[in-house]
Amino acid sequence: MDHSRAPLVPLPAGPARLITAVGAVLTLVSTFLAWTWTTAFPGNLTVTGYPGGLQNITLAGAALTLLHVLAGYRLRGLRWLAPAGTTAPTLLLALGTLAATWYTLGAITQQLGGLVNLEPGGWIAGAAVLLTLLGALALPADRPSSPDSPTGPWHRFRHSLTTGRPRPAAPLPSWAEILIIAAAFALGLLLFTYGVDAEYGELFVGYLLLAIAGLAALSRSGLTARLSTLTARHRNITLTAAFVAAACFPLTLTNDTYTNLATSILIFATVALGLNVVVGLAGLLDLGYVAFLGVGAYAAALVSGSPESAAGVHFPFWAAVLTGIGASLVFGVLIGAPTLRLRGDYLAIVTLGFGEIFRITMLNLNGKTGPDITNGSMGIPNIPDLEIGGFRFGDSHDVLGFTIGRFGNYYLLMLLATIAVVLVFRRAADSRIGRAWVAIREDETAATAMGINAFRLKLLAFALGAALAGLAGTVQSHVITTATPDQYQFAGTVPPNSAFLLAAVILGGMGTITGPVVGAALLYLIPNKMDFMQDYQLLLFGVALILLMRFRPEGLVADRRKQLEFHDAPLEGA
């Protein structure tokens, strides 16, 4: 008999849930014990009776796992946690808790010099999370397997992640649905703030591991689908709640440095949305898109009153914005007109060349190898802060008892710019032109045969994407007060650059609004918070690309068309 092909029979639901619950309770208890003996490891994990640092991540993961285990007993107050089934979210949360806990124990061992630095609480935590995961693996799947399905361990694990048909939600009054939407955005704001405000890299890694597992568990439990139904029903309320939550973000931070990080994320996300018009809607592979960001930044820097500017003028902000947008738009048309008759790899090579030509040109306009316009590698520094209607962005302002500093002012300005870009993208995608772009992306020959002027529409997409990048570049030049050529490369360790922008669009989800924003936030936030792993960032980035392309090629946030394109059947429980 071939034992490797023998079916793996799960434990009955009762004993498996009991094992999982016991493991989760022991994990909870372990967070109140000391994990190490010295405060040399960040977070002070030496205190008994009070969790700290990464212990809070393990505590949250164990509590969520225990709640889903109890929901499996069909307790009336907890059944809403998993309308599509409890096994898949329980397994994902147990896996995320184990990853965060074992990462913490491994970091303690590596930084302090051996397993001897672990206290009994650390050993109990490591064993308890393993027991929790084993119990979750033994739970029966929410959807019974077919008799002819594969029976190996990997197939058993994948089947455990499938969910059943979600239970219909009880009808709620409109005010209750609005409260749920508001609570969801408030919770999302708090969780995002916790990650951005993480004081050290190890805490952010633990938070990221549990957050990934938690988001996957939300999707598998069916809560994400229910929330999506509510947001679609109350679209205006949802947009208002999203704007209010984003506007409140600077008020929740304790350090203006993190507000600067959030402003940079919005700039990166706005540029990614502009690239999404070119790549996601029209299907044009542009590898030099960051050059349009640079055109907008340099154009605004030349006319914004910098003492080192060769133009010697100081336009008001609205005129500087129009200058940056107009310059990028013109360059988009000039570059697109002779090149957009190319397709595929040939277009990618040409746009890559344009990106490098722009950077080299900015270097050579230094008064020695060319006209003295951009100061060469020194760039255009000392760009003054904006002043709009007497409101100085360089000063701190008190709002409702909260102090908003310089970067908070620019964050709110960039938030308005991002909203404008989102509205433009949404209107364009839903219009007749947007549908024509999608047709060109899917099959340009068939679109042309149906009477679509492919060249004109591709040029329009190129110009619109360039204009949106110019808008972001204008604000960026004022935020960082300088414009230098080395900021606008094809690839590098610090975004924004063309490679990271393209990755943000593809990983986030091409053709969607939320996808590039999520992708940009992750690709900008992770390198900044994991600077202690700087030597391995590109390696880890490559591994993440491979895993995501293998298991979710449609991106983190994908539309229905992409899901059907990359999967033989609609995603279970998605």
Side-chain angles (χ1 to χ4, degrees):
M1 178 181 178
D2 185 4
H3 293 282
S4 64
R5 299 293 296 169
L8 298 177
V9 181
L11 289 175
R17 285 199 181 96
L18 180 61
I19 293 173
T20 309
V22 169
V25 170
L26 289 176
T27 305
L28 281 170
V29 172
S30 71
T31 60
F32 291 88
L33 303 175
W35 284 12
T36 185
W37 62 274
T38 174
T39 57
F41 187 82
N44 193 10
L45 309 185
T46 66
V47 180
T48 298
Y50 186 81
L54 280 157
Q55 287 176 325
N56 292 320
I57 303 296
T58 299
L59 175 65
L64 290 173
T65 305
L66 183 60
L67 285 175
H68 281 81
V69 173
L70 296 178
Y73 288 104
R74 301 189 180 279
L75 299 178
R76 181 177 296 274
L78 295 176
R79 292 186 65 182
W80 60 271
L81 274 175
T86 60
T87 295
T90 301
L91 178 56
L92 287 167
L93 287 169
L95 189 61
T97 307
L98 179 136
T101 304
W102 280 21
Y103 165 76
T104 303
L105 301 178
I108 293 173
T109 302
Q110 190 273 332
Q111 289 190 23
L112 301 183
L115 292 171
V116 69
N117 294 284
L118 292 178
E119 289 290 294
W123 291 101
I124 294 174
V129 292
L130 180 60
L131 178 64
T132 307
L133 180 61
L134 293 176
L137 287 170
L139 288 170
D142 295 312
R143 173 176 294 181
S145 59
S146 59
D148 56 347
S149 61
T151 56
W154 173 245
H155 295 286
R156 158 97 177 112
F157 174 77
R158 292 188 62 185
H159 183 66
S160 296
L161 296 179
T162 61
T163 55
R165 185 181 299 277
R167 295 188 303 273
L172 295 173
S174 296
W175 62 266
E177 294 180 344
I178 293 173
L179 282 179
I180 291 174
I181 294 173
F185 277 101
L187 180 61
L189 173 62
L190 292 176
L191 293 177
F192 184 72
T193 301
Y194 183 86
V196 172
D197 212 8
E199 298 177 356
Y200 47 94
E202 292 84 355
L203 180 61
F204 179 76
V205 173
Y207 159 82
L208 187 64
L209 291 172
L210 184 61
I212 292 172
L215 291 174
L218 277 177
S219 176
R220 293 296 179 179
S221 68
L223 283 180
T224 303
R226 283 192 175 179
L227 183 61
S228 299
T229 302
L230 295 182
T231 56
R233 192 177 301 159
H234 303 279
R235 186 176 297 274
N236 292 332
I237 297 295
T238 301
L239 294 176
T240 303
F243 174 76
V244 171
C248 291
F249 177 72
L251 308 180
T252 63
L253 295 176
T254 59
N255 194 325
D256 205 33
T257 302
Y258 298 132
T259 312
N260 180 26
L261 178 62
T263 306
S264 300
I265 289 174
L266 282 182
I267 293 172
F268 191 19
T270 302
V271 182
L273 279 170
L275 180 60
N276 198 25
V277 174
V278 180
V279 177
L281 293 181
L284 306 173
L285 186 55
D286 188 351
L287 298 183
Y289 185 76
V290 75
F292 296 122
L293 176 70
V295 170
Y298 266 97
L302 286 170
V303 300
S304 293
S306 170
E308 284 76 17
S309 170
V313 295
H314 190 176
F315 287 1
F317 173 67
W318 63 268
V321 169
L322 292 179
T323 302
I325 293 176
S328 296
L329 178 64
V330 170
F331 270 83
V333 173
L334 292 178
I335 298 302
T339 61
L340 286 178
R341 299 189 187 278
L342 302 173
R343 298 188 189 182
D345 299 339
Y346 301 100
L347 177 62
I349 292 172
V350 170
T351 55
L352 175 61
F354 164 65
E356 288 302 299
I357 289 171
F358 167 77
R359 184 179 63 85
I360 295 172
T361 302
M362 295 301 103
L363 280 171
N364 289 329
L365 296 180
N366 55 8
K368 298 178 181 179
T369 56
D372 187 8
I373 298 177
T374 65
N375 298 323
S377 60
M378 297 298 294
I380 304 176
N382 301 320
I383 300 173
D385 284 311
L386 292 174
E387 183 175 352
I388 302 176
F391 185 91
R392 293 183 57 85
F393 281 72
D395 299 337
S396 297
H397 302 274
D398 292 329
V399 178
L400 301 177
F402 295 93
T403 300
I404 300 180
R406 176 180 183 273
F407 293 120
N409 298 328
Y410 281 108
Y411 170 85
L412 295 176
L413 175 64
M414 198 61 226
L415 178 62
L416 294 176
T418 304
I419 292 173
V421 172
V422 167
L423 291 176
V424 170
F425 180 88
R426 182 180 172 188
R427 294 295 184 183
D430 294 339
S431 67
R432 179 176 59 86
I433 294 176
R435 292 192 293 271
W437 282 336
V438 173
I440 294 171
R441 182 191 69 193
E442 298 299 325
D443 192 328
E444 183 175 342
T445 303
T448 304
M450 295 301 294
I452 294 176
N453 190 327
F455 173 74
R456 181 183 300 173
L457 288 173
K458 288 194 296 183
L459 185 59
L460 179 61
F462 217 68
L464 177 59
L468 297 180
L471 170 62
T474 301
V475 180
Q476 183 200 34
S477 63
H478 287 86
V479 172
I480 63 178
T481 69
T482 186
T484 57
D486 58 357
Q487 298 170 348
Y488 311 108
Q489 303 180 35
F490 168 71
T493 57
V494 179
N497 54 66
S498 292
F500 270 70
L501 287 170
L502 188 61
V505 173
I506 295 175
L507 297 183
M510 291 192 300
T512 64
I513 295 176
T514 311
V517 176
V518 172
L522 289 176
L523 290 181
Y524 201 97
L525 183 62
I526 291 175
N528 278 275
K529 302 299 291 187
M530 294 174 61
D531 54 352
F532 68 101
M533 299 180 67
Q534 187 171 5
D535 294 339
Y536 305 99
Q537 280 183 5
L538 291 180
L539 173 63
L540 296 175
F541 178 63
V543 171
L545 279 176
I546 294 172
L547 293 176
L548 194 61
M549 290 298 100
R550 168 61 182 85
F551 296 106
R552 196 170 177 85
E554 69 273 20
L556 296 174
V557 182
D559 58 15
R560 193 64 174 172
R561 180 187 287 110
K562 288 295 181 183
Q563 288 181 331
L564 295 175
E565 178 181 344
F566 286 105
H567 298 275
D568 294 333
L571 292 179
E572 303 284 355

